[in-house]
Amino acid sequence: MAVLDWSECAAVESVPGRRGGAVVFRGTRTPVSLVFENLQDMSIDELEQEFGVTRTQVEAVLQFVAASTEPAC
């Protein structure tokens, strides 16, 4: 499995010293991994309320991941 280059996704950031350098939603302390851990059991609206992220951020991350997994031609 390829490693994602999160620097290409404008909706996230990784700041040394914040959450151990984990990839978080830009402007928050919410790790992106929480979306994937909870997406099966929660709607995007519930993710917004529970974790303080926006629908736009969640959709941008999901679109980035989907585009990153497409095979190169």
Side-chain angles (χ1 to χ4, degrees):
M1 176 183 268
V3 175
L4 297 177
D5 180 2
W6 286 106
S7 67
E8 298 294 319
C9 181
V12 302
E13 61 188 350
S14 178
V15 179
R18 184 187 304 161
R19 300 293 285 195
V23 178
V24 298
F25 287 92
R26 187 169 299 283
T28 76
R29 295 180 55 82
T30 304
V32 170
S33 61
L34 283 177
V35 167
F36 297 102
E37 292 168 6
N38 292 285
L39 194 56
Q40 182 175 353
D41 300 319
M42 298 174 79
S43 69
I44 293 178
D45 291 334
E46 291 170 321
L47 290 169
E48 286 180 279
Q49 292 175 358
E50 183 72 22
F51 301 116
V53 296
T54 67
R55 174 175 289 277
T56 301
Q57 288 174 309
V58 173
E59 289 175 348
V61 164
L62 294 175
Q63 289 170 0
F64 172 74
V65 171
S68 297
T69 60
E70 292 178 359
C73 295

